[in-house]
Amino acid sequence: MNGGRVRGLAGWAVGVLVVLVAVPTVVRGRLPDRMATHWGGPSGEPDGAMSFAGSVAFPAAIWVVLVLAVAVFALFAAARVRAATALLPGGVALAGAQAVIVRANLDREDWRQADLPDARVAVAVCAAVALAALAGVLLDRRARGSAEPRVRRSGR
């Protein structure tokens, strides 16, 4: 990978991590001590919760592991790496999920009162992830194309 591409992906990695931590931290005073993090069953009621620290650390840890896995893969398989294909939709998915969880818990006294937004929000997050995946594929394809050696054709 060239230097500009590495800097761009590193900036994306840091930016996503900042969003994952900053979004819940900024509204900490409006969130319950334990936050609903899972909803299940036909009722859609919350059925799982984490401490505030856990609900911040868990998605951040998933993101760090994904970034490190992509970086290690890039070191050992540079010709086949598809870093943008993994990191763009991964970051959008985690940031979208974090935003939905924060929104569901906002201004609730107890995690059991958390209310998921309607299905349009889930559709919007999924659409954003799909677009990010497409962008990642296109960026990786472009990077592979520019990394291939150009063959000179003689005019003789």
Side-chain angles (χ1 to χ4, degrees):
M1 284 197 279
N2 68 33
R5 181 172 163 77
V6 170
R7 282 190 300 277
L9 289 171
W12 174 253
V14 170
V16 169
L17 186 59
V18 167
V19 167
L20 291 173
V21 173
V23 168
T25 302
V26 166
V27 294
R28 174 65 183 115
R30 296 175 58 193
L31 296 170
D33 291 333
R34 293 184 53 79
M35 292 176 50
T37 54
H38 188 270
W39 287 258
S43 68
E45 296 295 317
D47 62 0
M50 288 183 166
S51 68
F52 175 80
S55 65
V56 173
F58 188 70
I62 291 171
W63 179 244
V64 168
V65 168
L66 176 62
V67 169
L68 290 176
V70 167
V72 167
F73 183 72
L75 288 174
F76 295 106
R80 296 181 309 232
V81 72
R82 289 172 173 74
T85 301
L87 294 180
L88 291 180
V92 170
L94 284 168
Q98 185 74 308
V100 167
I101 288 170
V102 167
R103 165 60 186 85
N105 286 277
L106 200 61
D107 297 324
R108 308 289 187 216
E109 291 183 25
D110 187 79
W111 68 270
R112 290 172 205 85
Q113 298 170 334
D115 191 24
L116 277 176
D118 64 29
R120 291 177 292 185
V121 174
V123 169
V125 170
C126 290
V129 170
L131 288 173
L134 176 61
V137 167
L138 294 174
L139 285 170
D140 283 337
R141 187 176 293 167
R142 180 176 174 212
R144 276 196 316 272
S146 66
E148 293 175 1
R150 298 189 186 242
V151 177
R152 277 191 183 178
R153 295 183 186 212
S154 70
R156 298 180 204 186

